[in-house]
Amino acid sequence: MMKTRIEIKCFCCFPWLLFVVGSAFQPSSYHASHRANFSPLIGIQRHHYRQHRSSWKPLFGRPLTDASIIASNKNYLIETLGFPEDKMLHPRTTKILTLEIGVLEERVNWLKERLKLNDNEIKKILSNHINTLGFNIEDNIKPKLDYLQQVVNLDDKSLRKLILAAPSILACSTEDNIEPKLEYLQEKLLLDEKSLQKIIMTAPSILTMSTEDNLEPKLEYLQQKLNLDGKSMRKIILTNSKILTFSTEDNLEPKLDWLLQRLNLDDAAVSKMIQQLPTVLGYSISDKMEPTLLWLQKRLDL
């Protein structure tokens, strides 16, 4: 009984002890409508970008079934971009095969120039996001990149890094996806421009998630489970922004339950632990927390 009390007191008072050992362990895998009437994001008005809706705009002038056009585009995708021939029948690919000859190459070259991408990088992006080439540059891709750069305050280098980390951003609608998401995060987490930039650059995939189905319920769960006010929630997310990319059902919920049961803590104690050390939520139970706890128990004879 005495050892149990010592163990609980030790870990409640010094939660960091649980994580100082085992740095060689890797974190576990981490597995998105609120909209304000005015966007506080550095004074940018919505209507400035509303004209740029996501759309497929192939050039016309020849029948879409023109075999020579399709054959030429297939050859370009395979020979120049190394696109797998077995993916040619996918709906995302068949749409771009009917674009006028030369349009695909023009769009590829524009992306390479705008984002300073080498051949391998553009191939990597398009290998899983070939539908990007179906979007008109002037009406869609260019204003989208300009918007991100202006609102999140990104220089060319940061924009390049963002797209390389989450290429599917290029397929997201500015008006229906990216803009309302940034507004929601800024209002919910009381973020200024610098804080918003930090979160987006730390976890770029946030921009591809649904606000209504992912981000909003996730933040509501954490706020209720840990009894957090807005200021405390903001601090946790700024310290460990990748929390926003974690699955609630497969990661956050079982992890918090484990801390409650394994360390024999109540909700208030777990909340205090997370507020003091938000990175706890990024650790794997099986690969880091459990073996570290066992090591400490053995080492300290608890």
Side-chain angles (χ1 to χ4, degrees), residues 5-273:
R5 290 179 179 175
I6 293 175
E7 175 188 350
I8 295 174
K9 183 177 181 180
C10 176
F11 293 125
C12 287
C13 296
F14 307 100
W16 52 268
L17 280 174
L18 185 59
F19 313 103
V20 295
V21 181
S23 59
F25 294 114
Q26 297 297 320
S28 61
S29 298
Y30 310 121
H31 302 262
S33 175
H34 173 92
R35 189 167 192 158
N37 292 326
F38 173 76
S39 170
L41 299 171
I42 65 170
I44 300 297
Q45 299 288 338
R46 284 203 198 107
H47 66 77
H48 179 71
Y49 293 98
R50 197 138 290 162
Q51 59 182 312
H52 305 298
R53 290 179 176 272
S54 297
S55 60
W56 289 83
K57 291 193 175 182
L59 299 180
F60 296 97
R62 292 189 185 183
L64 296 181
T65 56
D66 190 329
S68 63
I69 293 178
I70 295 175
S72 178
N73 285 332
K74 276 186 177 182
N75 183 68
Y76 176 75
L77 291 176
I78 295 172
E79 298 298 327
T80 304
L81 298 181
F83 193 73
E85 191 168 1
D86 58 0
K87 291 185 178 181
M88 288 295 174
L89 295 179
H90 193 284
R92 293 181 301 178
T93 308
T94 55
K95 286 185 178 182
I96 67 172
L97 290 178
T98 57
L99 291 173
E100 195 71 40
I101 293 175
V103 171
L104 292 180
E105 184 174 7
E106 179 184 342
R107 293 178 181 179
V108 168
N109 290 337
W110 188 92
L111 285 169
K112 289 174 65 176
E113 177 64 25
R114 180 68 173 84
L115 298 172
K116 300 296 184 289
L117 302 172
N118 59 40
D119 289 343
N120 289 331
E121 289 168 337
I122 192 66
K123 288 179 181 179
K124 183 177 180 180
I125 288 176
L126 297 177
S127 63
N128 293 312
H129 304 90
I130 196 66
N131 56 320
T132 299
L133 295 181
F135 297 116
N136 185 284
I137 295 296
E138 292 299 323
D139 292 344
N140 189 300
I141 301 298
K142 184 180 185 300
K144 186 181 302 176
L145 295 179
D146 290 344
Y147 173 84
L148 283 170
Q149 218 165 359
Q150 188 172 1
V151 172
V152 190
N153 192 25
L154 303 175
D155 56 22
D156 288 345
K157 185 177 181 180
S158 297
L159 180 65
R160 176 182 184 278
K161 181 179 179 181
L162 181 75
I163 299 303
L164 282 172
S168 53
I169 290 174
L170 293 172
C172 294
S173 164
T174 301
E175 180 188 28
D176 300 327
N177 190 318
I178 297 174
E179 183 183 356
K181 187 176 291 101
L182 293 177
E183 291 176 5
Y184 168 77
L185 289 173
Q186 189 173 46
E187 182 174 332
K188 178 68 176 179
L189 300 175
L190 310 174
L191 302 175
D192 55 21
E193 181 182 302
K194 185 176 181 180
S195 299
L196 179 66
Q197 181 193 67
K198 179 181 179 181
I199 288 177
I200 297 304
M201 291 307 297
T202 301
S205 61
I206 290 172
L207 290 177
T208 68
M209 296 177 177
S210 165
T211 300
E212 184 178 17
D213 298 332
N214 192 315
L215 295 176
E216 190 170 6
K218 187 179 300 177
L219 288 174
E220 291 299 327
Y221 167 79
L222 286 173
Q223 198 156 19
Q224 293 178 18
K225 181 71 174 179
L226 301 177
N227 192 26
L228 303 171
D229 56 23
K231 186 177 180 180
S232 299
M233 187 79 252
R234 176 182 183 274
K235 181 180 178 181
I236 288 175
I237 298 302
L238 282 175
T239 303
N240 186 11
S241 302
K242 290 188 176 181
I243 288 174
L244 292 175
T245 68
F246 300 167
S247 164
T248 301
E249 294 77 14
D250 300 329
N251 192 312
L252 297 175
E253 191 171 355
K255 197 166 292 178
L256 291 174
D257 289 342
W258 184 90
L259 290 171
L260 283 166
Q261 298 171 18
R262 186 66 175 85
L263 299 182
N264 194 25
L265 302 175
D266 57 20
D267 289 338
V270 170
S271 176
K272 183 177 181 180
M273 176 186 288

